Amino acid sequence: MDASRPPLTRPQVRSIGLITGVALALYLTVRLLPTGSNLNHMDFRVTGKDAIEFCDPASPQFIPVIAAKSPVQLSLASETPPQRGKVTKFTLTMRTANGKPIGPADLLVAHTRKLHLLVVDPTLNDYQHLHPEPGRRAGEWVFEMAPDRAGTYRVFADFTPAATQRGLYASVDFNVPGDVARVSRTTNTEWQAAGFNFTLDVPSYFRAKTPADLTFRIESPGTQKRPVPLQPVMGAFAHLVAFDEDRSGFAHLHPMEADLSQPPADPLKPELHFKVTIPQPGRYVIWAQVNLAGDEAFVPFWVDVLP
């Protein structure tokens, strides 16, 4: 402490206290202000154990959506009962925990869309990435899809509230009548689709709770290589989505090569890099989604995460 500086007088102390109190009140008021709607920051808060936290997209990780409490409630209805191979129109209703509808004005655009739905069947062999459009009533979002398999489908919603500007998640299920097929889930790091070979390199010791580097490659088969017509999809050169066998949650990953003006250096074998942290050991499927000359391709990779 500077001994030469005189102590603060009581009026000075009161002034400092008043200024601090006013600044704090302004801060809290701004946090509670609506952002283009009647929703504010507190509408997207859940207290208590195992509540979903707002997520930083710069730190990709697996989100345990099912076990956690979400501040957003989802309900799903269809015009006709869902059936395998038939296009069904669904209406998804989004509300906050206190019942307020969540519409377009309440969400920010993230990767070119305001609402992403990650839909997967119980075998994890039918994955669809959908983007609903606003419905007629507040809080309603409409989409169509054709389920490829029977069983209970899980719909994960991935969105960013304007009031928080951080990623948030919720889930809802729907059933497709029929017997759930038994499928093999053997590990694989290579796949062929759309006339190209796809490879996903994972660490030899892919361990839980440890950040992992993933490398995704595409190339044409044979010795005479042709350029890969890789184009952006949803604001990125590729998307990876990881699910565990129980579908308890997911990880939505984007490549580190984020500058769309700088495509991968080798057009004959483009390479993209991802980072992820998986919290629990077990078997996971990592679905890759890419745009090849305007046609989207979905490719699954089964991997084991060690303790």
Side-chain angles (χ1 to χ4, degrees), residues 13 17 25 68-69 75 83 98 112 128 130 148 159 172-173 185 188 207 218 268 272 294-295 306:
V13 172
K69 300 175 184 177
S75 61
Q83 297 183 48
N98 54 10
T112 73
Q128 302 187 37
L130 307 173
D148 187 56
F159 52 94
V172 67
D173 295 347
R185 298 175 175 178
N188 71 293
R207 295 193 178 277
I218 312 173
L268 299 180
L272 299 169
D295 294 325
L306 305 176

PDB file of all heavy atoms in Angstrom, residues 13 17 25 68-69 75 83 98 112 128 130 148 159 172-173 185 188 207 218 268 272 294-295 306:
ATOM      1  N   VAL A  13     -16.090   6.405  -0.620  1.00  0.00           N
ATOM      2  CA  VAL A  13     -16.448   4.989  -0.499  1.00  0.00           C
ATOM      3  C   VAL A  13     -17.874   4.768  -0.966  1.00  0.00           C
ATOM      4  O   VAL A  13     -18.185   3.813  -1.688  1.00  0.00           O
ATOM      5  CB  VAL A  13     -16.264   4.508   0.952  1.00  0.00           C
ATOM      6  CG1 VAL A  13     -16.826   3.095   1.116  1.00  0.00           C
ATOM      7  CG2 VAL A  13     -14.794   4.539   1.338  1.00  0.00           C
ATOM      8  N   GLY A  17     -19.131   2.492  -4.116  1.00  0.00           N
ATOM      9  CA  GLY A  17     -20.141   1.455  -3.926  1.00  0.00           C
ATOM     10  C   GLY A  17     -21.345   1.664  -4.836  1.00  0.00           C
ATOM     11  O   GLY A  17     -21.898   0.700  -5.398  1.00  0.00           O
ATOM     12  N   ALA A  25     -26.019  -3.911 -11.746  1.00  0.00           N
ATOM     13  CA  ALA A  25     -27.429  -3.925 -12.137  1.00  0.00           C
ATOM     14  C   ALA A  25     -27.576  -3.853 -13.650  1.00  0.00           C
ATOM     15  O   ALA A  25     -28.418  -4.540 -14.245  1.00  0.00           O
ATOM     16  CB  ALA A  25     -28.167  -2.766 -11.467  1.00  0.00           C
ATOM     17  N   ALA A  68     -28.605 -36.178 -19.153  1.00  0.00           N
ATOM     18  CA  ALA A  68     -28.568 -34.822 -18.619  1.00  0.00           C
ATOM     19  C   ALA A  68     -29.924 -34.145 -18.748  1.00  0.00           C
ATOM     20  O   ALA A  68     -30.762 -34.528 -19.561  1.00  0.00           O
ATOM     21  CB  ALA A  68     -27.508 -34.005 -19.349  1.00  0.00           C
ATOM     22  N   LYS A  69     -30.136 -33.138 -17.925  1.00  0.00           N
ATOM     23  CA  LYS A  69     -31.354 -32.341 -17.986  1.00  0.00           C
ATOM     24  C   LYS A  69     -31.157 -31.206 -18.978  1.00  0.00           C
ATOM     25  O   LYS A  69     -30.195 -30.451 -18.886  1.00  0.00           O
ATOM     26  CB  LYS A  69     -31.675 -31.762 -16.605  1.00  0.00           C
ATOM     27  CG  LYS A  69     -31.898 -32.794 -15.521  1.00  0.00           C
ATOM     28  CD  LYS A  69     -32.093 -32.119 -14.177  1.00  0.00           C
ATOM     29  CE  LYS A  69     -32.211 -33.143 -13.049  1.00  0.00           C
ATOM     30  NZ  LYS A  69     -32.323 -32.492 -11.723  1.00  0.00           N
ATOM     31  N   SER A  75     -41.279 -32.277 -28.387  1.00  0.00           N
ATOM     32  CA  SER A  75     -42.339 -33.251 -28.647  1.00  0.00           C
ATOM     33  C   SER A  75     -42.443 -33.433 -30.152  1.00  0.00           C
ATOM     34  O   SER A  75     -42.151 -32.509 -30.919  1.00  0.00           O
ATOM     35  CB  SER A  75     -43.670 -32.798 -28.055  1.00  0.00           C
ATOM     36  OG  SER A  75     -44.097 -31.570 -28.635  1.00  0.00           O
ATOM     37  N   GLN A  83     -43.432 -45.417 -41.336  1.00  0.00           N
ATOM     38  CA  GLN A  83     -43.217 -46.753 -41.870  1.00  0.00           C
ATOM     39  C   GLN A  83     -41.888 -46.793 -42.596  1.00  0.00           C
ATOM     40  O   GLN A  83     -41.417 -45.775 -43.119  1.00  0.00           O
ATOM     41  CB  GLN A  83     -44.340 -47.139 -42.844  1.00  0.00           C
ATOM     42  CG  GLN A  83     -45.720 -47.224 -42.221  1.00  0.00           C
ATOM     43  CD  GLN A  83     -46.758 -47.686 -43.225  1.00  0.00           C
ATOM     44  OE1 GLN A  83     -46.544 -48.668 -43.940  1.00  0.00           O
ATOM     45  NE2 GLN A  83     -47.880 -46.986 -43.298  1.00  0.00           N
ATOM     46  N   ASN A  98     -39.983 -23.771 -19.011  1.00  0.00           N
ATOM     47  CA  ASN A  98     -41.153 -23.090 -18.453  1.00  0.00           C
ATOM     48  C   ASN A  98     -42.257 -22.880 -19.489  1.00  0.00           C
ATOM     49  O   ASN A  98     -43.179 -22.104 -19.272  1.00  0.00           O
ATOM     50  CB  ASN A  98     -40.750 -21.750 -17.818  1.00  0.00           C
ATOM     51  CG  ASN A  98     -39.979 -20.863 -18.770  1.00  0.00           C
ATOM     52  OD1 ASN A  98     -39.891 -21.146 -19.969  1.00  0.00           O
ATOM     53  ND2 ASN A  98     -39.400 -19.786 -18.239  1.00  0.00           N
ATOM     54  N   THR A 112     -24.832 -22.663 -41.246  1.00  0.00           N
ATOM     55  CA  THR A 112     -25.799 -22.301 -42.293  1.00  0.00           C
ATOM     56  C   THR A 112     -27.248 -22.593 -41.910  1.00  0.00           C
ATOM     57  O   THR A 112     -28.148 -22.285 -42.698  1.00  0.00           O
ATOM     58  CB  THR A 112     -25.496 -23.002 -43.638  1.00  0.00           C
ATOM     59  OG1 THR A 112     -25.824 -24.395 -43.564  1.00  0.00           O
ATOM     60  CG2 THR A 112     -24.031 -22.852 -44.026  1.00  0.00           C
ATOM     61  N   GLN A 128     -29.489 -39.835 -40.440  1.00  0.00           N
ATOM     62  CA  GLN A 128     -29.946 -38.765 -41.322  1.00  0.00           C
ATOM     63  C   GLN A 128     -29.775 -37.426 -40.609  1.00  0.00           C
ATOM     64  O   GLN A 128     -30.108 -37.293 -39.431  1.00  0.00           O
ATOM     65  CB  GLN A 128     -31.404 -38.983 -41.735  1.00  0.00           C
ATOM     66  CG  GLN A 128     -31.642 -40.318 -42.432  1.00  0.00           C
ATOM     67  CD  GLN A 128     -33.037 -40.460 -42.990  1.00  0.00           C
ATOM     68  OE1 GLN A 128     -33.632 -39.495 -43.484  1.00  0.00           O
ATOM     69  NE2 GLN A 128     -33.583 -41.673 -42.932  1.00  0.00           N
ATOM     70  N   LEU A 130     -30.987 -33.640 -40.733  1.00  0.00           N
ATOM     71  CA  LEU A 130     -32.133 -32.917 -41.285  1.00  0.00           C
ATOM     72  C   LEU A 130     -32.185 -31.486 -40.752  1.00  0.00           C
ATOM     73  O   LEU A 130     -31.665 -31.189 -39.673  1.00  0.00           O
ATOM     74  CB  LEU A 130     -33.430 -33.641 -40.929  1.00  0.00           C
ATOM     75  CG  LEU A 130     -33.489 -35.132 -41.298  1.00  0.00           C
ATOM     76  CD1 LEU A 130     -34.745 -35.759 -40.731  1.00  0.00           C
ATOM     77  CD2 LEU A 130     -33.438 -35.306 -42.812  1.00  0.00           C
ATOM     78  N   ASP A 148     -35.341 -45.843 -42.756  1.00  0.00           N
ATOM     79  CA  ASP A 148     -34.866 -46.986 -43.528  1.00  0.00           C
ATOM     80  C   ASP A 148     -34.991 -48.296 -42.750  1.00  0.00           C
ATOM     81  O   ASP A 148     -34.927 -49.368 -43.342  1.00  0.00           O
ATOM     82  CB  ASP A 148     -33.399 -46.762 -43.921  1.00  0.00           C
ATOM     83  CG  ASP A 148     -32.884 -47.831 -44.860  1.00  0.00           C
ATOM     84  OD1 ASP A 148     -33.496 -48.036 -45.926  1.00  0.00           O
ATOM     85  OD2 ASP A 148     -31.868 -48.478 -44.527  1.00  0.00           O
ATOM     86  N   PHE A 159     -28.653 -26.879 -31.586  1.00  0.00           N
ATOM     87  CA  PHE A 159     -29.045 -25.504 -31.889  1.00  0.00           C
ATOM     88  C   PHE A 159     -28.320 -24.536 -30.959  1.00  0.00           C
ATOM     89  O   PHE A 159     -27.710 -24.947 -29.964  1.00  0.00           O
ATOM     90  CB  PHE A 159     -30.567 -25.340 -31.740  1.00  0.00           C
ATOM     91  CG  PHE A 159     -31.096 -25.821 -30.415  1.00  0.00           C
ATOM     92  CD1 PHE A 159     -31.259 -24.958 -29.349  1.00  0.00           C
ATOM     93  CD2 PHE A 159     -31.419 -27.160 -30.241  1.00  0.00           C
ATOM     94  CE1 PHE A 159     -31.740 -25.408 -28.126  1.00  0.00           C
ATOM     95  CE2 PHE A 159     -31.899 -27.637 -29.018  1.00  0.00           C
ATOM     96  CZ  PHE A 159     -32.062 -26.752 -27.964  1.00  0.00           C
ATOM     97  N   VAL A 172     -35.638 -36.434 -28.575  1.00  0.00           N
ATOM     98  CA  VAL A 172     -36.978 -37.006 -28.557  1.00  0.00           C
ATOM     99  C   VAL A 172     -36.947 -38.261 -29.428  1.00  0.00           C
ATOM    100  O   VAL A 172     -36.090 -38.376 -30.314  1.00  0.00           O
ATOM    101  CB  VAL A 172     -38.022 -35.987 -29.069  1.00  0.00           C
ATOM    102  CG1 VAL A 172     -37.817 -35.679 -30.551  1.00  0.00           C
ATOM    103  CG2 VAL A 172     -39.439 -36.463 -28.803  1.00  0.00           C
ATOM    104  N   ASP A 173     -37.850 -39.215 -29.174  1.00  0.00           N
ATOM    105  CA  ASP A 173     -37.873 -40.478 -29.913  1.00  0.00           C
ATOM    106  C   ASP A 173     -39.168 -40.629 -30.712  1.00  0.00           C
ATOM    107  O   ASP A 173     -40.182 -40.000 -30.402  1.00  0.00           O
ATOM    108  CB  ASP A 173     -37.751 -41.669 -28.962  1.00  0.00           C
ATOM    109  CG  ASP A 173     -36.412 -41.730 -28.244  1.00  0.00           C
ATOM    110  OD1 ASP A 173     -35.479 -41.008 -28.660  1.00  0.00           O
ATOM    111  OD2 ASP A 173     -36.306 -42.499 -27.273  1.00  0.00           O
ATOM    112  N   ARG A 185     -21.361 -55.124 -35.956  1.00  0.00           N
ATOM    113  CA  ARG A 185     -20.754 -53.835 -35.688  1.00  0.00           C
ATOM    114  C   ARG A 185     -19.245 -54.002 -35.555  1.00  0.00           C
ATOM    115  O   ARG A 185     -18.645 -53.673 -34.542  1.00  0.00           O
ATOM    116  CB  ARG A 185     -21.354 -53.208 -34.425  1.00  0.00           C
ATOM    117  CG  ARG A 185     -22.861 -52.937 -34.533  1.00  0.00           C
ATOM    118  CD  ARG A 185     -23.441 -52.432 -33.234  1.00  0.00           C
ATOM    119  NE  ARG A 185     -24.846 -52.065 -33.368  1.00  0.00           N
ATOM    120  CZ  ARG A 185     -25.617 -51.634 -32.372  1.00  0.00           C
ATOM    121  NH1 ARG A 185     -25.100 -51.520 -31.160  1.00  0.00           N
ATOM    122  NH2 ARG A 185     -26.871 -51.331 -32.578  1.00  0.00           N
ATOM    123  N   ASN A 188     -14.073 -50.761 -38.346  1.00  0.00           N
ATOM    124  CA  ASN A 188     -13.598 -50.498 -39.709  1.00  0.00           C
ATOM    125  C   ASN A 188     -13.095 -49.070 -39.798  1.00  0.00           C
ATOM    126  O   ASN A 188     -13.628 -48.162 -39.152  1.00  0.00           O
ATOM    127  CB  ASN A 188     -14.718 -50.711 -40.736  1.00  0.00           C
ATOM    128  CG  ASN A 188     -15.782 -49.625 -40.657  1.00  0.00           C
ATOM    129  OD1 ASN A 188     -16.509 -49.521 -39.667  1.00  0.00           O
ATOM    130  ND2 ASN A 188     -15.878 -48.807 -41.692  1.00  0.00           N
ATOM    131  N   ARG A 207      -8.326 -43.588 -26.437  1.00  0.00           N
ATOM    132  CA  ARG A 207      -8.706 -43.751 -25.043  1.00  0.00           C
ATOM    133  C   ARG A 207      -9.756 -42.739 -24.608  1.00  0.00           C
ATOM    134  O   ARG A 207      -9.789 -41.604 -25.099  1.00  0.00           O
ATOM    135  CB  ARG A 207      -7.479 -43.633 -24.136  1.00  0.00           C
ATOM    136  CG  ARG A 207      -6.471 -44.746 -24.355  1.00  0.00           C
ATOM    137  CD  ARG A 207      -5.429 -44.799 -23.253  1.00  0.00           C
ATOM    138  NE  ARG A 207      -4.496 -45.900 -23.455  1.00  0.00           N
ATOM    139  CZ  ARG A 207      -4.731 -47.151 -23.096  1.00  0.00           C
ATOM    140  NH1 ARG A 207      -5.885 -47.454 -22.529  1.00  0.00           N
ATOM    141  NH2 ARG A 207      -3.846 -48.102 -23.303  1.00  0.00           N
ATOM    142  N   ILE A 218     -10.256 -38.941 -48.526  1.00  0.00           N
ATOM    143  CA  ILE A 218     -11.084 -39.433 -49.630  1.00  0.00           C
ATOM    144  C   ILE A 218     -10.188 -39.567 -50.858  1.00  0.00           C
ATOM    145  O   ILE A 218      -9.350 -38.695 -51.120  1.00  0.00           O
ATOM    146  CB  ILE A 218     -12.243 -38.462 -49.958  1.00  0.00           C
ATOM    147  CG1 ILE A 218     -12.989 -38.036 -48.691  1.00  0.00           C
ATOM    148  CG2 ILE A 218     -13.216 -39.095 -50.954  1.00  0.00           C
ATOM    149  CD1 ILE A 218     -14.013 -36.953 -48.932  1.00  0.00           C
ATOM    150  N   LEU A 268      -6.433 -34.847 -55.299  1.00  0.00           N
ATOM    151  CA  LEU A 268      -6.580 -36.274 -55.577  1.00  0.00           C
ATOM    152  C   LEU A 268      -6.814 -37.094 -54.301  1.00  0.00           C
ATOM    153  O   LEU A 268      -7.355 -38.200 -54.373  1.00  0.00           O
ATOM    154  CB  LEU A 268      -5.337 -36.807 -56.291  1.00  0.00           C
ATOM    155  CG  LEU A 268      -5.019 -36.182 -57.654  1.00  0.00           C
ATOM    156  CD1 LEU A 268      -3.754 -36.813 -58.222  1.00  0.00           C
ATOM    157  CD2 LEU A 268      -6.189 -36.368 -58.617  1.00  0.00           C
ATOM    158  N   LEU A 272      -8.594 -34.117 -44.113  1.00  0.00           N
ATOM    159  CA  LEU A 272      -9.145 -33.197 -43.123  1.00  0.00           C
ATOM    160  C   LEU A 272      -8.848 -33.729 -41.729  1.00  0.00           C
ATOM    161  O   LEU A 272      -8.795 -34.950 -41.511  1.00  0.00           O
ATOM    162  CB  LEU A 272     -10.662 -33.039 -43.318  1.00  0.00           C
ATOM    163  CG  LEU A 272     -11.110 -32.473 -44.667  1.00  0.00           C
ATOM    164  CD1 LEU A 272     -12.622 -32.617 -44.822  1.00  0.00           C
ATOM    165  CD2 LEU A 272     -10.687 -31.014 -44.817  1.00  0.00           C
ATOM    166  N   GLY A 294     -22.133 -31.752 -55.363  1.00  0.00           N
ATOM    167  CA  GLY A 294     -23.543 -31.483 -55.160  1.00  0.00           C
ATOM    168  C   GLY A 294     -24.337 -32.631 -54.578  1.00  0.00           C
ATOM    169  O   GLY A 294     -25.497 -32.444 -54.190  1.00  0.00           O
ATOM    170  N   ASP A 295     -23.748 -33.815 -54.513  1.00  0.00           N
ATOM    171  CA  ASP A 295     -24.427 -34.977 -53.934  1.00  0.00           C
ATOM    172  C   ASP A 295     -23.813 -35.298 -52.577  1.00  0.00           C
ATOM    173  O   ASP A 295     -22.597 -35.471 -52.468  1.00  0.00           O
ATOM    174  CB  ASP A 295     -24.307 -36.198 -54.849  1.00  0.00           C
ATOM    175  CG  ASP A 295     -25.055 -36.021 -56.158  1.00  0.00           C
ATOM    176  OD1 ASP A 295     -26.126 -35.365 -56.135  1.00  0.00           O
ATOM    177  OD2 ASP A 295     -24.574 -36.525 -57.189  1.00  0.00           O
ATOM    178  N   LEU A 306     -10.920 -47.192 -25.829  1.00  0.00           N
ATOM    179  CA  LEU A 306     -10.398 -47.969 -24.704  1.00  0.00           C
ATOM    180  C   LEU A 306     -10.554 -47.230 -23.381  1.00  0.00           C
ATOM    181  O   LEU A 306     -10.670 -46.007 -23.357  1.00  0.00           O
ATOM    182  CB  LEU A 306      -8.916 -48.282 -24.940  1.00  0.00           C
ATOM    183  CG  LEU A 306      -8.578 -48.994 -26.256  1.00  0.00           C
ATOM    184  CD1 LEU A 306      -7.072 -49.141 -26.409  1.00  0.00           C
ATOM    185  CD2 LEU A 306      -9.274 -50.347 -26.327  1.00  0.00           C
TER     186      LEU A 306
END
